[in-house]
Every structure is written in C-alpha cells, then in structure tokens.
C-alpha cells in the first residue's frame, strides 16, 4: 500500500482477482487451488498470479517494491 494509505491500481486489481479466485474456490468447495483438477490450465488462477506479481512489482519487470 502506498504511504498515503490509498491503494494504487495494482493493489486494486490484485484485490479484485483475489475475490474472483476465492469465489471459485468457494463454489467448488476447495480451500486451495492445489486440489482443483484445472490447476495448471485455470485462467482465473493465471490472472491472479499475474496481478499478484504486478502488485508486488508495481508493473516494473525489474523487481519488487516492498
């Protein structure tokens, strides 16, 4: 989160994808994606991982901003 306490576009996108992923897990009654038969081919999971990386790196391919 930014110093001002406001979330940037990367954090907001991450939260949105996390909600979608959690909704899918809930619908399938799973606690984790690891148990899902679509684990390696799931677009929801791929989108989540991508936005997670972007949230940590703030869109820069050079590393993370912690």
């Amino acid at each position: 989160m930014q110093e001002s306490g406001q979330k940037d576009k990367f954090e907001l996108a991450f939260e949105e994808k996390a909600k979608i992923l959690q909704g899918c897990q809930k619908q399938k009654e799973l606690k984790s994606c690891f148990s899902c038969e679509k684990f390696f081919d799931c677009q929801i999971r791929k989108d989540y991982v991508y936005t997670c990386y972007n949230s940590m790196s703030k869109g820069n391919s050079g590393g993370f901003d912690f």
Side-chain angles (χ1 to χ4, degrees), residues 1 3-4 11 18 34 42 47-48 53 56 60-61 64:
M1 195 177 304
E3 289 182 28
S4 64
E11 292 165 327
F34 290 116
C42 179
D47 291 345
Y48 170 79
Y53 177 82
M56 291 188 291
N60 296 323
S61 60
F64 300 114

Side-chain angles (χ1 to χ4, degrees), residues 35-39 51 58 60 64:
S35 303
C36 185
E37 62 190 30
K38 297 181 180 180
F39 180 79
T51 57
K58 303 299 180 203
N60 296 323
F64 300 114

